[in-house]
């Protein structure tokens, strides 16, 4: 598999340049993105590809200090169900607690 990174998109392609999977995201603000869409070709499902693509977005979000609004059902399910990922969620309980404790 070959990973291709473009602004707002991570994609995997096979050796024949056929799309295997992709995840797309858009900027909502300088500190927040929306994960809009995750797709994995039916021949490649249940192999962890969607999770790998999500991990690339999470790594970028960590580097850029972004919070995430998951619109895509897959991203929403993963981010809401795994407690260690809750800090990424915009308006999560942890983020609300941190913002209340932030002196401004």
């Amino acid at each position: 598999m070959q990973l291709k990174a473009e602004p707002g998109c991570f994609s995997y392609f096979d050796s024949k340049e056929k799309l295997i999977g992709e995840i797309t995201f858009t900027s909502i603000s300088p500190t927040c993105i929306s994960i809009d869409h995750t797709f994995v070709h039916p021949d490649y499902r249940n192999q962890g590809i969607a999770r790998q693509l999500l991990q690339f977005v999470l790594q970028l979000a960590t580097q850029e200090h972004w919070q995430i609004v998951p619109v895509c059902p897959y991203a929403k399910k993963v981010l809401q169900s795994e407690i260690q990922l809750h800090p990424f969620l915009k308006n999560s309980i942890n983020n609300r607690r941190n913002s209340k404790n932030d002196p401004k």
Side-chain angles (χ1 to χ4, degrees):
M1 287 190 299
Q2 178 184 354
L3 178 68
K4 184 175 183 183
E6 295 180 345
C9 183
F10 288 102
S11 305
Y12 270 134
F13 293 89
D14 68 10
S15 60
K16 297 178 183 176
E17 297 188 24
K18 176 182 170 185
L19 180 66
I20 293 173
E22 71 178 357
I23 190 165
T24 62
F25 55 95
T26 54
S27 177
I28 295 174
S29 75
T31 60
C32 186
I33 62 167
S34 166
I35 298 177
D36 307 309
H37 174 72
T38 305
F39 165 78
V40 175
H41 188 281
D43 293 344
Y44 294 92
R45 291 187 181 157
N46 300 312
Q47 297 179 35
I49 293 171
R51 180 57 181 241
Q52 290 174 19
L53 292 166
L54 179 59
Q55 283 302 127
F56 287 121
V57 176
L58 295 177
Q59 289 172 0
L60 185 58
T62 298
Q63 292 170 1
E64 300 295 330
H65 306 286
W66 291 336
Q67 289 185 300
I68 297 172
V69 175
V71 176
C72 159
Y74 172 77
K76 189 173 193 173
K77 178 182 173 185
V78 173
L79 288 166
Q80 289 179 345
S81 67
E82 297 186 25
I83 196 161
Q84 73 273 17
L85 300 179
H86 286 183
F88 285 104
L89 290 170
K90 177 132 177 89
N91 298 323
S92 73
I93 293 170
N94 289 336
N95 289 329
R96 280 185 259 150
R97 280 188 196 142
N98 290 339
S99 66
K100 286 180 185 176
N101 295 332
D102 256 350
K104 297 200 181 199

